[in-house]
Amino acid sequence: MWGIFLESVVIFQNYVGFHQNKYLFGIYLFFLLYLLLTEKNKSIRAVFVYTPIILLFCFFCPLFRKVFVRLLNDAETYYRLLWLLQMSLVSAYGAMKLCGKYRKAGLVVMCAAIVACGSLVYRSEHISKAQNWYHLPAEAVEVAQLIDPAEGRVMALVPADLVYYIRQYSTKINMPYGREMLIARWDYYNDMYEAMEEAEVIQTDSFVELTREYGCNYVVLKKDRELQAPLTDYGFELYAQTDTYLIYIDRNMKTNMGMNTVIED
């Protein structure tokens, strides 16, 4: 039990950024205690005071964590319980309540405190300048625009590095597999993914058989992807290309409002 408790402490510290910046959590804790002592509205107390306190108690309770993990069979999402703490809302409401008689001055003081205690998010290694309004890689948008249908739906097989982005651009583009294949610990299996990504050289015969089994109208390959034989020998046509990708269309397939069928000879 003690080990489980310590793991919860580490998760909590990582969540609030305790090792990098403990001051914002200090502000939140201060206003949580302030509202506990001063807030009279029962509804507000229930949301901003009782809920966080009960949640924190449950989060650090080893028995609660064991039940949570057992029921959901997922220990990695335990930290998401902390999303319910509403740290920004509690801090903002507490600050305005404390500075109720001097709202303008209080707003300036609190903004200055938050800026001084926080950190500039744009300095993070995880933040980069958006290449377009979609906030997606430019070449991913280019590929998606080339295969996005005017009406109905299409099935497109794309390399793993595009899987995250294609459906963000358009829900009219279906794919034979998605994000589940890119998370190794989930241990999913998909024969189309194996043929596309795991084979050192794509075995064109079986590969084409699978693309038609899954109803793929388009196949997108990296230009340096090695194939046993060209797709053009199997009824595919080079439809378009970008700097990195070749986009093939299977003329043996037709699209009919989301249903892909093989055209019989």
Side-chain angles (χ1 to χ4, degrees), residues 18-167:
F18 194 79
H19 297 295
Q20 292 79 25
N21 192 329
K22 64 187 74 174
Y23 301 109
L24 288 180
F25 177 70
I27 291 175
Y28 165 75
L29 187 60
F30 171 81
F31 284 117
L32 179 63
L33 295 175
Y34 172 74
L35 293 176
L36 176 64
L37 297 174
T38 63
E39 182 57 56
K40 304 301 181 183
N41 187 300
K42 292 183 179 179
S43 298
I44 294 177
R45 286 182 68 86
V47 176
F48 285 169
V49 179
Y50 299 143
T51 297
I53 291 176
I54 294 173
L55 181 66
L56 285 171
F57 174 80
C58 291
F59 182 83
F60 289 109
C61 176
L63 182 60
F64 177 83
R65 185 181 177 187
K66 290 187 71 173
V67 173
F68 178 94
V69 173
R70 177 68 62 87
L71 290 177
L72 298 183
N73 193 28
D74 186 2
E76 294 187 9
T77 60
Y78 190 64
Y79 75 94
R80 294 181 182 177
L81 288 173
L82 297 174
W83 293 351
L84 301 176
L85 288 178
Q86 306 175 86
M87 294 178 63
S88 57
L89 292 178
V90 171
S91 298
Y93 178 77
M96 290 299 97
K97 183 176 178 64
L98 179 63
C99 305
K101 294 182 179 180
Y102 309 97
R103 292 187 178 180
K104 291 183 179 179
L107 179 62
V108 172
V109 170
M110 283 310 304
C111 287
I114 291 172
V115 170
C117 295
S119 58
L120 185 63
V121 296
Y122 298 108
R123 291 177 179 169
S124 170
E125 61 178 338
H126 303 294
I127 300 295
S128 58
K129 186 176 181 180
Q131 300 178 15
N132 47 61
W133 289 106
Y134 301 102
H135 287 241
L136 299 173
E139 197 164 12
V141 172
E142 184 180 0
V143 171
Q145 289 175 336
L146 288 167
I147 62 180
D148 190 30
E151 59 182 24
R153 292 178 178 274
V154 295
M155 180 72 76
L157 175 65
V158 302
D161 56 346
L162 291 178
V163 166
Y164 282 107
Y165 307 121
I166 296 297
R167 286 301 298 275

Side-chain angles (χ1 to χ4, degrees), residues 161-177:
D161 56 346
L162 291 178
V163 166
Y164 282 107
Y165 307 121
I166 296 297
R167 286 301 298 275
Q168 291 184 58
Y169 176 84
S170 174
T171 57
K172 295 186 294 183
I173 304 175
N174 293 337
M175 294 181 290
Y177 50 81

